[in-house]
Amino acid sequence: MRWAPYALAVLGALLLAWALWPTDVLEVSVEGVGTLRYPVRAGERVELTWIHSVSSIPVREVFEVRDGDLWLMETHNPWFAAGLGEIAGRGRTVSEEGHAVAIIDINERADGMVLRIGSPEIHHTLIVGGRRCDLSRLAPHARARFEVVRRPRWYALRGVRCE
């Protein structure tokens, strides 16, 4: 049992190294609520889904974590409703099943993006690593800022939880 203190010291050192190891964290700073934090990895996809306020169609925006930033990669919707059309030089439009459309290959840096969260019927929902957060239920009409930051791993455990 003389080795027990050494084993505990090594285990403690490993745990400390794990907690302090830097990792990318998606921070969503929500006005009046606090900051949501999600650990993310390079190449990971992050989605923002919502219901269009005029035509009531579902919209899905797909982002990717790349080089420590958030990039808008594609958007998907049943058709181009108000404000959802193609912008010349920004991706390309493709057809999807059921006559839906998508704009892919957008590759637009979105780190620092600001979103005015919609009312509860809009269901602005963030999906990160399989976890969902309905921002519209959490903080309707609030301002939210999205940013990828590099922090110690333990940092991602802090912040507001979205139920």
Side-chain angles (χ1 to χ4, degrees):
M1 287 299 229
R2 288 190 296 211
W3 54 268
Y6 299 110
L8 286 175
V10 168
L11 183 60
L14 289 173
L15 184 58
L16 183 61
W18 177 86
L20 295 177
W21 196 264
T23 189
D24 287 334
V25 177
L26 173 62
E27 288 191 341
V28 183
S29 302
V30 182
E31 175 183 75
V33 173
T35 303
L36 301 163
R37 293 185 175 96
Y38 299 91
V40 291
R41 295 176 184 207
E44 185 169 354
R45 293 285 172 121
V46 173
E47 294 185 10
L48 182 64
T49 64
W50 44 281
I51 303 298
H52 193 277
S53 62
V54 175
S55 60
S56 299
I57 61 171
V59 178
R60 181 170 60 100
E61 298 176 317
V62 180
F63 300 84
E64 182 177 298
V65 176
R66 187 186 325 148
D67 300 324
D69 288 323
L70 194 63
W71 291 77
L72 176 62
M73 303 304 291
E74 52 197 56
T75 64
H76 302 264
N77 32 274
W79 66 82
F80 287 142
L84 296 179
E86 183 177 14
I87 297 172
R90 185 177 176 249
R92 58 189 176 90
T93 304
V94 297
S95 297
E96 294 191 310
E97 187 176 325
H99 304 288
V101 293
I103 301 174
I104 62 171
D105 300 330
I106 297 173
N107 293 311
E108 181 177 283
R109 187 176 177 276
D111 212 45
M113 173 182 84
V114 175
L115 168 71
R116 177 62 63 182
I117 299 170
S119 60
E121 325 56 81
I122 300 302
H123 293 289
H124 271 119
T125 302
L126 179 65
I127 305 166
V128 183
R131 295 179 11 205
R132 303 173 73 83
C133 178
D134 188 337
L135 299 170
S136 296
R137 287 181 75 202
L138 180 70
H141 311 292
R143 179 181 184 270
R145 185 171 192 277
F146 296 72
E147 184 176 26
V148 176
V149 296
R150 191 130 182 99
R151 299 281 189 258
R153 189 179 308 270
W154 67 268
Y155 190 81
L157 302 175
R158 301 175 53 221
V160 175
R161 297 286 175 236
C162 186
E163 306 302 328

